[in-house]
Amino acid sequence: MKNIIIFVCLAFCAIFHFSCANSPKNAKADRYVVVLSLDGFRSDYPEMAHTPTLDSLARVGVRADFRPCFPSVTFSNHYAMATGLHPDHHGLINNYFYAEDLDKIYTIGNREAVSNPDFYGGEPIWNTAERQGVKAANFYWVGSETPVNGRQPSIWKPFASSVSFRNRADSVLAWLRLPLEERPRLLMWYIEEPDAIGHSATPDSSATIRMVEELDQLLNYFFTEARQLDIFDRIDFMVLSDHGMGTYYPENYVNLNDYLPRDSFDYVFDGVPTLLYTKESYRETAYEILQHVPNIEVYKKEEIPAKYHYGTHPRISNLVVIPKIGTYVQFRANSSPRLGGAHGYDNYVPTMQAIFYAAGPSFKSGERLPAIANVNLYLLICKLLDLQPAPNDGTEEEVAGLLK
Ligand SMILES: [Zn+2]
């Protein structure tokens, strides 16, 4: 294994150094960007597991904690990264919500909702690219399965968890080998682990660590193959995640059904966070009661702290319950407290932080940088591919800090 680490490291160092010394003036016109999202990969997993490939990436590129948006859930954050907008601005305000503007419910398991473009605001990066003549390919990123503003990436796939991770890696490699005129220059792909195992086995379990190590081996395969490409030295690679994972405990469990009458709410989406759409006449009463429930914080929509950038979108419920870390919340007639893993909490707490690794001709080398907000991904890709960005919530300074 040690030989592989050195091999991968030398390969990156040697090739990137060569590329640096020989960059053509119009370098960005033939630059490629490959972004992989590993769902629920917590920022400290590499310290808990044996991850030689990620460690190599950090040595030749940059590593930082990646701060999710609130709520720290999958769909809201993948689409925030894609558009550079906070969920409050792009409209996918949770994995589950009621959209007053459409009079429709969004849930991530509902095909019809997920493929309805009306839910998706802003301009995803693949549309920005395609609109400006840069071909994009996408393997499962949230939002890529639907024509936002009538557009989709040139290559995209309907989500199917049965497609192996290795198969996805091979597809991305195959796209990079396409003839020049067909070859995408923005490639994004997605893997739904270690999120699933983190939920079921908790982030502290040996099963989660094993999965993290398997994913690192997949990355080793991917980069070993990628370096055979004659365009390898023109590819900026990123490996990142959408949020972390926290353990919750049965003794902290809250069932809102013990405190509130269900028929006083038009819609309830429980979990982390819990969105409560109260009947207007009941809001004040519910708010008073919820303030005395242990292990949670409750906010009126218009009083949510500014750090969350959350509360202006019409789809957000008039009361929002944010469980404290270690707590799971439900609103069920029958429920059973248990141990598990969850995310969706305060996006600033350490266990919610995600990973960001980047290596390639554009990135600084060997630097561990301060945490960056994940809404910067959109602007970053625009810089890498020389695209004119749509309005977004990224900041030039944070993006510039990653680049040479
Ligand atoms: Zn996720």
Side-chain angles (χ1 to χ4, degrees), residues 308-327:
Y308 291 127
H309 297 278
Y310 199 69
T312 68
H313 201 287
R315 296 174 186 170
I316 296 171
S317 53
N318 58 5
L319 291 181
V320 175
V321 171
I322 308 179
K324 290 187 179 157
I325 203 85
T327 299

Side-chain angles (χ1 to χ4, degrees), residues 104-287:
K104 284 193 165 80
I105 287 172
Y106 186 94
T107 66
I108 59 174
N110 180 332
R111 250 4 252 189
E112 194 185 322
V114 167
S115 55
N116 180 349
D118 296 342
F119 283 106
Y120 300 81
E123 180 173 86
I125 186 64
W126 48 86
N127 283 0
T128 305
E130 295 270 357
R131 208 162 47 72
Q132 296 175 46
V134 172
K135 205 177 276 275
N138 201 301
F139 215 123
Y140 297 167
W141 204 281
V142 171
S144 63
E145 294 176 54
T146 185
V148 178
N149 302 321
R151 245 178 223 285
Q152 271 177 285
S154 290
I155 303 172
W156 63 277
K157 305 266 184 184
F159 183 75
S161 58
S162 56
V163 178
S164 74
F165 303 157
R166 175 75 169 250
N167 184 314
R168 300 176 206 186
D170 285 333
S171 287
V172 173
L173 292 162
W175 295 337
L176 288 166
R177 289 188 203 107
L178 284 170
L180 186 59
E181 61 277 10
E182 294 167 44
R183 192 184 305 149
R185 287 176 51 218
L186 170 60
L187 300 92
M188 300 170 78
W189 57 307
Y190 167 82
I191 284 177
E192 57 271 30
E193 291 286 6
D195 183 78
I197 192 74
H199 279 293
S200 59
T202 82
D204 315 307
S205 66
S206 55
T208 298
I209 298 308
R210 251 194 326 274
M211 176 60 74
V212 164
E213 294 182 346
E214 280 172 29
L215 292 167
D216 192 85
Q217 285 157 20
L218 177 80
L219 286 176
N220 183 46
Y221 165 76
F222 177 76
F223 284 113
T224 303
E225 291 294 313
R227 73 175 290 277
Q228 308 299 321
L229 300 164
D230 55 8
I231 56 167
F232 179 72
D233 62 342
R234 289 188 266 138
I235 306 174
D236 282 315
F237 290 98
M238 285 176 264
V239 178
L240 51 79
S241 58
D242 52 348
H243 52 74
M245 187 69 71
T247 304
Y248 60 83
Y249 303 92
E251 58 269 31
N252 296 344
Y253 176 80
V254 172
N255 188 358
L256 296 177
N257 204 53
D258 297 342
Y259 304 90
L260 299 163
R262 179 64 183 78
D263 59 5
S264 295
F265 298 84
D266 292 325
Y267 301 95
V268 168
F269 298 92
D270 62 0
V272 189
T274 290
L275 302 186
L276 298 173
Y277 300 76
T278 74
K279 297 199 183 299
E280 199 47 52
S281 60
Y282 189 68
R283 183 162 98 133
E284 205 56 47
T285 310
Y287 179 70

Side-chain angles (χ1 to χ4, degrees), residues 38-40 72-75 78 95 190 195 199 242-244 343:
L38 298 171
D39 200 316
S72 49
V73 298
T74 302
F75 274 52
H78 276 95
N95 281 350
Y190 167 82
D195 183 78
H199 279 293
D242 52 348
H243 52 74
H343 52 89

